[in-house]
Amino acid sequence: MSDEQNSEADGQEKEANAPATAGGKRRRTGWRRLLPTWRMVLGGVLLIVLLVSGALVAGYLLVSIPAPNKAAAAQTNVFLYADGTQIARDGEVNRENVTLSQVPKTTQRAVLAAEDRDFYHESAIDPKAMVRAGWNMVTGKGRQSGSTITQQYVKNYYLEQEQTVSRKAKEFFIALKLDREVSKNDILQGYLNTSYFGRNAYGIQSAAHAYYGKDVGKLTPEEGAYLAALVNSPNAYDTRAHPENKRRAVARWEYVMDGMVKKGWLSKASRDGAKFPEPDKAKPPGNMAGERGYLVEAVKNHLIGNDIIDERRLAAGGFRITTTIQPKKQKAMREAVDKELMSRLDKKNRKIDKHVRAGGSSVDPKTGEVVAMYGGIGYTKQYVNNATRRDYQVGSTFKPFIFASALQNKSKTQSGSPITPRTIYDGTNKREVVSDGHGTDYSPANEDDRSYGQIPVTTAMDKSVNSVFAQMGIDVGPKRVKDTAVDLGIPESVPNMPDDGSIALGVTTASTLDMAEAYATLANHGKHGTYSLVRKATRGGEVVNLPDHDPKQAIPRDAADTTTAILRSVVKSGTGTAAQSAGRPAAGKTGTAEEDKAAWFAGYTPDLATVVSVMGQDSNSGVQKPLYGAAGETRVNGGGFPAKIWGSYTKTALKGRPAKDFKLDTKGNADLPSTQSPSTNGPTTQPPSSDTPVSPPPSTDRPTDRPTTPTAPPSVPTTPPPPTGDPGIGGVDGGNPNGGNDPGGVNGGGDPGNGGIGQNGAQGGGGGGVPRTQSQRSW
């Protein structure tokens, strides 16, 4: 017998000889002694049940229904500039209680459809939702809901709004007691009178006036459903304050309407005939006039959107909030807009001038702090904040992200050549985009249908050549381009940022604040941290935890610095020469939305990243309008008013600080080629103002990462020969703007003029051709 068999036999013999227990059973030996018996397990379970039951009984007996909390008469929030001086107080609470009989049945049921469809037939609490919410708060997953209407009413009326386990426990017991002592109708009435609907409105009556200018009893079913939808997220679903969120708001409204049909509270015919009830314009409080309202609104959105302070808790008031806005820079931005744009408008004699809007944001690249923001001519006059709105195309200000992504991903052209500033692309107008040697049926046009021939990437960036960057977007891969934009700081949730070929042409509708954050990352050598509008927030003795800036290398430094080098060329000799008025080294990019509905300039120095946009919008309808003829100009593009505002603001904002040059580490990529095309088929004498995105191709024809069609590509990019010099580029792109009868052909109109003097003294080309008209579609 083997040793192993002998050992096993000995073990069996010992177990057989083990002493028996009092009940006649043998005692367990070895590892079995470590396991609990079934009696121990059962006893443990019963003990836990008794403890939990006892805790529930004790909690029910000890927690009483308290007096209404102070939030029922909410306090004032105080907003301060970075230096401690006051911006504004957010005013008094708008509240008016009504009885349940005054609220139409359709509105009552809309709220139930939105928040708690089984309210009249369920318990006051939802244990599963309570456990889930409590666990998520303990594990740091942010604020959670899932409460019944009774629980929400308890929180609104009796408790503070902080998200803590103790508050959730109190809510649990008070809801149980309230459900036994108060009728369901009384609870619903209290809920409707204490819920926050946005626009500083507490209660359904105040909300009816704030959004529709009528008493609650006159609300239509559609209007009641919209107000019910607001309860879930008032900040997000106000389509007047955030027009870019209208799709989400309509979806939420449809959810409410469909819920009413499902419960039998609304007929299918009425639902089919219902249309979304657009709310009235907001009427901001008088103490928010001027720029104060824009700053307060932006700070509130920042705190709410980043889950720093709950929306209802912030509305309850009592906070003292120190912002990052610096008064001197704020004044500099306001004065730059007034000087370079608003003073040029003639609203009495030019109808288009009534549609002109401007927005701007400025970020410190090192700290991530927003130091200045221009939202509009006045919060009580133009309610929507033009600095934070996300509904205008960013145009060619997106092109640097494509190039940065090419460097980040070490992308290559269709022929296998690395993409660098010196890489030659075909800038022919309406050149078909190709992928893997196959055509894509996608042929974007350049500005004014202009062809450039074979040009290096630097020239393509200087002149914003759409055909080049549409191809580069496919070479890099649209998904990679989107990822780089997000790495730089563009929120992934920004509207119209597809991961298909159309992303390359600036169809994204990011805000000036979003773009300033991304350009600040380029200025900071590819490092990106959390941007902030708030330095400190307190409430009584409580200090609110704020996210750390904590910058990390978002894209490689050489990718960011090479992008900066190529964008310096745009300011030196491309479409952004007006930004030279800042009087210090700068990099930037112009952009224009489709049909000239918006013009952009995004630029930075080593100390400051700022993005300015000039937009067209009808004041009454809210419809976006082309800017043709605004301020007396034939057209408005990024190199005009936006670049001038940027230069004027930057010069004043950095006054007294020594001018810094960029310290770039490009790994040899900063040796930029000539901005003159080496091809014999060079650019025409028309002005290089191609900074407008084309309309994206139809969804069925949009190129993907690997589009294939039987059509062969017209050409493939190749690696360029070494540059042969630096001949000057005439007019706007490199010469003296004052040279020639028309400065380099800014408008491409009139008789051909003599071109300006180029960077090295070469004679540039003059303007020429037919003046641009509105009928010539802007690409």
Side-chain angles (χ1 to χ4, degrees):
M1 183 178 291
S2 67
D3 291 341
E4 182 177 346
Q5 290 172 327
N6 288 332
S7 176
E8 183 177 353
D10 290 343
Q12 292 173 347
E13 183 179 354
K14 289 179 180 179
E15 184 173 347
N17 295 329
T21 63
K25 294 185 178 180
R26 297 187 182 279
R27 294 176 179 172
R28 294 186 299 172
T29 61
W31 61 268
R32 292 181 178 83
R33 289 180 300 172
L34 302 177
L35 297 178
T37 66
W38 67 269
R39 291 184 180 85
M40 295 170 64
V41 173
L42 180 60
V45 170
L46 291 174
L47 179 61
I48 292 173
V49 171
L50 288 172
L51 290 174
V52 172
S53 300
L56 291 174
V57 171
Y60 186 85
L61 294 174
L62 293 175
V63 176
S64 58
I65 299 176
N69 63 16
K70 293 181 180 180
Q75 305 171 62
T76 296
N77 292 316
V78 181
F79 296 84
L80 308 171
Y81 285 110
D83 65 358
T85 56
Q86 184 173 298
I87 298 174
R89 293 175 178 267
D90 61 358
E92 298 178 355
V93 170
N94 178 20
R95 182 194 303 276
E96 183 182 349
N97 291 342
V98 291
T99 63
L100 193 62
S101 62
Q102 292 176 271
V103 182
K105 275 288 185 183
T106 52
T107 299
Q108 295 179 38
R109 289 167 171 171
V111 172
L112 297 179
E115 296 296 313
D116 192 356
R117 296 179 183 180
D118 295 320
F119 168 71
Y120 279 101
H121 309 288
E122 69 181 1
S123 170
I125 60 171
D126 183 344
K128 290 182 180 179
M130 287 283 293
V131 171
R132 181 179 66 249
W135 174 253
N136 286 335
M137 284 187 289
V138 169
T139 55
K141 294 183 179 179
R143 63 185 181 90
Q144 300 291 323
S145 184
S147 302
T148 64
I149 277 182
T150 303
Q151 289 173 271
Q152 293 181 56
Y153 171 52
V154 168
K155 182 179 69 172
N156 291 343
Y157 194 60
Y158 294 106
L159 301 174
E160 296 291 335
Q161 296 291 321
E162 73 272 8
Q163 297 290 334
T164 62
V165 174
S166 61
R167 199 270 308 166
K168 204 73 179 173
K170 289 180 182 178
E171 175 188 304
F172 179 88
F173 291 115
I174 295 171
L176 285 176
K177 282 195 170 185
L178 201 66
D179 197 44
R180 291 173 61 88
E181 299 176 16
V182 179
S183 71
K184 290 284 189 179
N185 281 345
D186 286 342
I187 292 173
L188 180 59
Q189 175 180 299
Y191 178 74
L192 292 174
N193 281 324
T194 57
S195 292
Y196 181 62
F197 290 85
R199 296 194 182 183
N200 211 34
Y202 282 83
I204 193 73
Q205 170 73 338
S206 296
H209 279 282
Y211 288 91
Y212 294 109
K214 61 176 70 172
D215 284 333
V216 64
K218 297 181 180 179
L219 289 174
T220 66
E222 294 84 356
E223 292 167 346
Y226 175 70
L227 295 184
L230 284 171
V231 174
N232 180 261
S233 183
N235 180 66
Y237 297 145
D238 188 340
T239 59
R240 289 288 190 170
H242 299 285
E244 71 276 10
N245 288 345
K246 184 170 182 177
R247 184 178 298 178
R248 292 175 56 197
V250 171
R252 178 69 179 173
W253 174 80
E254 290 177 339
Y255 166 80
V256 175
M257 295 289 285
D258 291 341
M260 293 175 71
V261 173
K262 188 174 181 179
K263 296 295 291 185
W265 297 332
L266 185 69
S267 70
K268 186 70 166 54
S270 297
R271 170 68 184 94
D272 292 341
K275 293 183 179 180
F276 180 75
E278 192 68 42
D280 296 342
K281 290 182 181 179
K283 299 178 178 63
N287 67 326
M288 291 294 167
E291 64 190 15
R292 294 192 298 273
Y294 297 125
L295 297 178
V296 168
E297 182 225 17
V299 170
K300 285 183 175 181
N301 289 341
H302 175 78
L303 293 170
I304 296 166
N306 290 284
D307 292 327
I308 298 171
I309 302 177
D310 177 87
E311 181 173 2
R312 289 168 179 81
R313 189 173 182 226
L314 183 61
F319 288 93
R320 187 175 180 86
I321 299 164
T322 302
T323 73
T324 60
I325 302 296
Q326 298 179 18
K328 291 182 179 179
K329 289 184 174 64
Q330 183 67 24
K331 180 183 178 184
M333 181 169 283
R334 180 178 66 250
E335 291 179 345
V337 175
D338 290 342
K339 172 187 173 185
E340 301 294 344
L341 176 63
M342 296 304 171
S343 63
R344 299 279 306 275
L345 301 180
D346 184 356
K347 296 183 180 181
K348 291 183 179 180
N349 298 312
R350 283 192 298 263
K351 182 180 178 180
I352 183 62
D353 284 3
K354 296 179 181 179
H355 300 155
V356 175
R357 306 282 183 273
S361 300
S362 188
V363 174
D364 184 325
K366 298 299 182 185
T367 65
E369 291 187 343
V370 181
V371 296
M373 177 182 292
Y374 184 87
I377 61 173
Y379 191 62
T380 56
K381 297 177 181 178
Q382 293 175 2
Y383 180 58
V384 176
N385 189 336
N386 295 321
T388 58
R389 65 189 305 165
R390 289 173 173 167
D391 57 343
Y392 281 85
Q393 292 179 346
V394 301
S396 290
T397 57
F398 197 87
K399 283 184 170 75
F401 305 157
I402 305 168
F403 179 68
S405 187
L407 299 176
Q408 178 185 13
N409 293 287
K410 295 180 171 54
S411 301
K412 297 181 179 180
T413 66
Q414 296 291 301
S415 64
S417 300
I419 298 175
T420 73
R422 303 167 61 85
T423 305
I424 296 296
Y425 270 90
D426 187 347
T428 301
N429 181 53
K430 296 184 180 180
R431 174 193 180 278
E432 184 180 21
V433 174
V434 297
S435 179
D436 291 337
H438 298 281
T440 61
D441 291 331
Y442 183 31
S443 305
N446 294 329
E447 180 75 13
D448 296 325
D449 289 326
R450 182 181 177 194
S451 287
Y452 293 86
Q454 301 293 314
I455 53 174
V457 171
T458 301
T459 303
M461 188 72 79
D462 282 352
K463 302 175 184 293
S464 276
V465 182
N466 286 328
S467 56
V468 169
F469 285 95
Q471 180 62 60
M472 189 185 297
I474 293 299
D475 293 345
V476 178
K479 179 64 167 61
R480 291 193 182 101
V481 171
K482 180 177 180 177
D483 289 344
T484 297
V486 172
D487 290 342
L488 290 170
I490 302 297
E492 194 166 8
S493 59
V494 159
N496 303 317
M497 192 160 66
D499 52 6
D500 61 34
S502 65
I503 192 175
L505 298 172
V507 297
T508 303
T509 55
S511 68
T512 66
L513 185 56
D514 298 327
M515 296 298 285
E517 182 182 354
Y519 272 74
T521 304
L522 294 175
N524 199 28
H525 309 292
K527 288 186 176 181
H528 176 260
T530 304
Y531 89 91
S532 181
L533 268 164
V534 178
R535 282 189 178 177
K536 185 178 181 180
T538 60
R539 188 172 189 261
E542 174 194 2
V543 177
V544 177
N545 291 325
L546 300 174
D548 293 329
H549 177 48
D550 194 22
K552 300 242 180 352
Q553 199 71 46
I555 67 172
R557 174 165 182 164
D558 63 296
D561 285 0
T562 302
T563 304
T564 295
I566 205 172
L567 294 181
R568 289 200 65 189
S569 178
V570 173
V571 174
K572 288 180 178 178
S573 56
T575 55
T577 54
Q580 294 176 15
S581 62
R584 56 183 65 223
K589 186 70 188 75
T590 55
T592 309
E594 186 182 5
E595 296 180 352
D596 284 16
K597 293 176 180 176
W600 297 70
F601 184 79
Y604 51 96
T605 70
D607 299 307
L608 204 57
T610 306
V611 176
V612 177
S613 180
V614 176
M615 297 157 271
Q617 182 180 32
D618 188 293
S619 300
N620 296 319
S621 66
V623 174
Q624 295 183 11
K625 292 289 186 178
L627 290 168
Y628 302 118
E633 297 290 328
T634 303
R635 64 172 301 199
V636 175
N637 57 32
F641 296 124
K644 291 177 181 178
I645 292 170
W646 185 94
S648 178
Y649 161 73
T650 302
K651 181 177 182 178
T652 305
L654 297 178
K655 186 177 181 180
R657 298 178 65 173
K660 294 181 182 178
D661 205 349
F662 293 97
K663 296 180 180 179
L664 304 180
D665 179 7
T666 64
K667 294 186 177 179
N669 282 328
D671 183 16
L672 302 183
S674 163
T675 55
Q676 178 90 341
S677 169
S679 170
T680 55
N681 298 322
T684 69
T685 57
Q686 285 183 292
S689 58
S690 170
D691 56 16
T692 312
V694 303
S695 298
S699 58
T700 55
D701 296 327
R702 287 184 182 177
T704 62
D705 281 30
R706 291 179 175 272
T708 56
T709 68
T711 307
S715 63
V716 293
T718 59
T719 303
T724 57
D726 187 17
I729 303 299
V732 170
D733 278 340
N736 180 351
N738 297 319
N741 297 333
D742 187 1
V746 172
N747 298 321
D751 296 329
N754 296 320
I757 302 301
Q759 291 256 317
N760 292 336
Q763 185 75 16
V770 179
R772 179 187 177 87
T773 64
Q774 186 169 341
S775 62
Q776 292 176 271
R777 183 167 177 141
S778 168
W779 297 103

